[in-house]
Structures are given as C-alpha cells and as structure tokens.
Amino acid sequence: VQLQASGGGLVQDGDSLSLSCAASSGTFRNYAMGWFRQAPGKEREFVTAISRNGRITDYKDTVKGRFTISRDNAKNTVYLQMNSLKPEDTAVYYCAAKAGALATYIYTLGPSYDYWGQGTQVTVSS
C-alpha cells in the first residue's frame, strides 16, 4: 500500500492543524494505522495510533487532549487533528500502516508497521 500524507505547514503557538494520510489500497480497513514524528536531531517517536475498526486509539502522553486521530475506511484515509499546537510539536509527521492487524489492536512501536508515508513538515513558531 502507498501512503500519502498531507496538511503540514507553518503555524503559530496555540494554532490548529489537520493532517491527512490517504492510502492507495482498497483494503485500507484491514490496516491498523499510526502517526509518528521526528524532530531535527531526535529519534522518531510514536504520536498516536488507531485500530482497524477505529474504536481503539492511543496517544503519546504529551499530545493527549490536544490531538485526535480518526479514520474513514470508505475514503481510505486516516486523519490527525492537532489543536493547541506547541513549538515542541515541530517535526516531520509520518503516517504508517500495519498489515494483518487484529481488529481492535493498536500498535505503538515503529517496527510493527509495514508501510510508511513520505512525511509532512509541521512547524510551530513561538
């Protein structure tokens, strides 16, 4: 499956931004999805994940209450709504897909994922 992330940009501290990740596969509903990010000079880190059926989600502690992941299996797309953005959220954001996922499982480790998007830059200025 090919993943195309979009929606990044330059925003101010406290602003909102919405990311999208469109999948090429018609079997998108069979993939658990996740968002990861990598800031300059830092390792890639988990941000959020959602199960195949969209009922189970998990978030990195520092984004809980500010970020929301969702998916539309009919549109083969996963979304990341980011509110109250902070300068420390600045990073390249990557979406990822895990094949063969169980319906209600989420995956928080990068190596668990099989496919990755190209990344979209999010910059939050103070």
Side-chain angles (χ1 to χ4, degrees), residues 8-73:
L10 172 63
V11 297
Q12 301 271 347
D13 189 355
D15 283 351
S16 299
L17 205 57
S18 180
L19 305 183
S20 299
C21 176
S24 62
S25 173
T27 57
F28 175 75
R29 64 184 180 279
N30 292 334
Y31 293 87
M33 300 297 296
W35 286 96
F36 292 75
R37 67 187 182 188
Q38 187 168 19
K42 296 187 177 181
E43 293 188 353
R44 182 180 63 194
E45 64 178 5
F46 168 78
V47 177
T48 181
I50 190 167
S51 61
R52 281 174 48 195
N53 60 12
R55 294 176 184 174
I56 308 299
T57 60
D58 193 18
Y59 297 89
K60 177 182 173 62
D61 284 347
T62 57
V63 308
K64 284 181 180 177
R66 300 189 297 122
F67 289 14
T68 303
I69 188 172
S70 62
R71 65 189 295 163
D72 186 337
N73 286 345

